[in-house]
Amino acid sequence: MDRKIRFATQSGAQPTGADWLARAKRLEGMGYSTLAMPDHMVGGAWSNMPALGAAAAVTNTLRLGNLVIDNDFRNPVVLAREFATLDVISNGRVEIGLGAGWFDRDYQGTGIPFDRGRIRVARLAEAVTLMKRLFTEDEVTFEGTYYRTTKSECRPKTMQQPRPPILIAAGRPQILELAGREADIVAIIAPGAGVRPSAADDVAAPGVRRQLYLVRKAAGRRFDEIELSCFVDVTLTDDRDKTIAELAEKAKIDPAVLRSSIYRGIGTVDQVREHIIRVRRETGITYFCLRGPHVEELAPVVTDLAGT
């Protein structure tokens, strides 16, 4: 499938509720496709569903997503109903973003056990299976390792049929394979994200293509139906080399990591535009979540590239 470029941005909060609603309207006017929210229990991020529901009420085309909901924080039956309600009140604009969790401080702050990665991914796999059934069946009985339900229902039924698209953020092999099997949108992240510092090879296009090979292998014939996504942290500057050196020094990392990363857009607006074009050409990714303090200044990039 020949997919067109589209853009999301990730935002966790604003100073006031009025600021949040005004920003959602501005982003829609700039041509952003989606407003996506993180899901951290520390750091000041707002709760996803109330904030996205409010944004739905003041926008008409802006899609409402998550990058990403931590599966461990919510029962999938309850979460499916929340997404279904949001899809109805937004007239079918929900994108369900799911992840297995990675930030240990979130778990410390809630008292939820921080299980090994393979367990968290296996639990996410069951949740995805259960939620898909809840969206498409009238009554669901489910017997899994982590979830068991009897005669579960999900009301209201979603506007999007058969269900809203599901995005899974994935970096390591087990969850990349899950995303390939189950996701409509796969958001590629660095394999060491949240665990260890990234190497230049991890975040450059060849490393991303190795990750996408696992997605493709797991997806089989449905791979062409999957939309590929990534985040891009943008720093606007007139001196790319100097800024890379400064950022690398501050983060105590090799400047080559920033220079080669598909996840970092550093330079002028034109250089960021070329970065996005290059990432698409080298990886096939077409759905870019722009992050950082310069999101609204990137409106010309969104206008130029969205739909191409």
Side-chain angles (χ1 to χ4, degrees):
M1 182 182 296
D2 183 22
R3 289 194 180 274
K4 307 299 185 183
I5 289 176
R6 65 185 182 120
F7 292 95
T9 189
Q10 187 188 48
S11 183
Q14 287 291 297
T16 69
D19 291 330
W20 174 260
L21 300 181
R23 187 160 194 250
K25 290 190 283 188
R26 289 198 306 273
L27 293 170
E28 181 177 65
M30 292 173 185
Y32 279 93
S33 172
T34 308
L35 171 60
M37 294 190 70
D39 187 36
H40 293 297
M41 298 308 217
V42 297
W46 289 357
S47 178
N48 275 230
M49 295 308 185
L52 292 175
V58 298
T59 56
N60 296 299
T61 61
L62 189 69
R63 295 184 65 76
L64 309 160
N66 326 94
L67 195 61
V68 283
I69 288 281
D70 187 325
N71 175 66
D72 287 342
F73 297 160
R74 297 164 185 84
N75 178 283
V77 179
V78 177
L79 184 60
R81 184 180 66 170
E82 292 189 357
F83 275 125
T85 302
L86 182 61
D87 197 54
V88 169
I89 66 173
S90 67
N91 197 30
R93 290 186 277 142
V94 166
E95 290 179 4
I96 300 171
L98 299 172
W102 63 272
F103 191 30
D104 57 356
R105 281 283 289 111
D106 284 334
Y107 289 79
Q108 293 167 12
T110 58
I112 296 172
F114 187 48
D115 294 323
R116 290 180 300 170
R118 68 183 64 181
I119 293 175
R120 301 197 310 274
V121 174
R123 190 158 46 230
L124 173 61
E126 280 195 9
V128 171
T129 297
L130 178 53
M131 290 176 67
K132 283 185 173 182
R133 289 188 59 192
L134 286 162
F135 288 132
T136 56
E137 300 176 25
D138 290 332
E139 189 175 271
V140 176
T141 295
F142 182 87
E143 185 76 19
T145 301
Y146 304 101
Y147 303 109
R148 297 172 180 84
T149 71
T150 302
K151 298 182 178 180
S152 296
E153 298 181 2
C154 180
R155 299 287 189 278
K157 287 304 179 184
T158 60
M159 291 290 293
Q160 297 177 88
Q161 290 295 316
R163 55 172 174 77
I166 293 175
L167 176 153
I168 294 179
R172 298 181 67 82
Q174 185 184 4
I175 195 166
L176 286 165
E177 291 165 359
L178 170 63
R181 294 192 304 269
E182 300 290 350
D184 305 293
I185 307 166
V186 177
I188 297 295
I189 61 175
V195 179
R196 57 177 172 78
S198 296
D201 186 57
D202 289 338
V203 295
V208 173
R209 288 196 295 267
R210 288 192 293 271
Q211 291 174 289
L212 290 174
Y213 171 79
L214 296 179
V215 176
R216 181 185 292 273
K217 186 176 179 181
R221 295 176 64 179
R222 67 177 292 270
F223 179 76
D224 287 343
E225 302 171 12
I226 296 174
E227 186 174 28
L228 302 178
S229 179
C230 73
F231 65 79
V232 180
D233 287 323
V234 176
T235 303
L236 290 182
T237 173
D238 291 328
D239 192 334
R240 173 176 158 82
D241 290 337
K242 179 182 177 182
T243 300
I244 287 175
E246 292 172 347
L247 292 171
E249 173 63 25
K250 183 177 180 180
K252 305 302 180 187
I253 60 175
D254 185 344
V257 174
L258 299 178
R259 194 172 291 112
S260 64
S261 177
I262 74 160
Y263 308 107
R264 298 300 298 258
I266 303 171
T268 64
V269 168
D270 287 341
Q271 286 173 315
V272 172
R273 181 189 292 108
E274 290 305 311
H275 173 82
I276 290 167
I277 292 170
R278 182 172 64 254
V279 171
R280 181 198 197 183
R281 181 177 65 246
E282 295 180 353
T283 67
I285 290 170
T286 58
Y287 189 13
F288 296 91
C289 183
L290 306 182
R291 308 195 303 189
H294 305 293
V295 163
E296 295 193 28
E297 295 171 68
L298 294 169
V301 176
V302 174
T303 299
D304 289 349
L305 296 183
T308 64

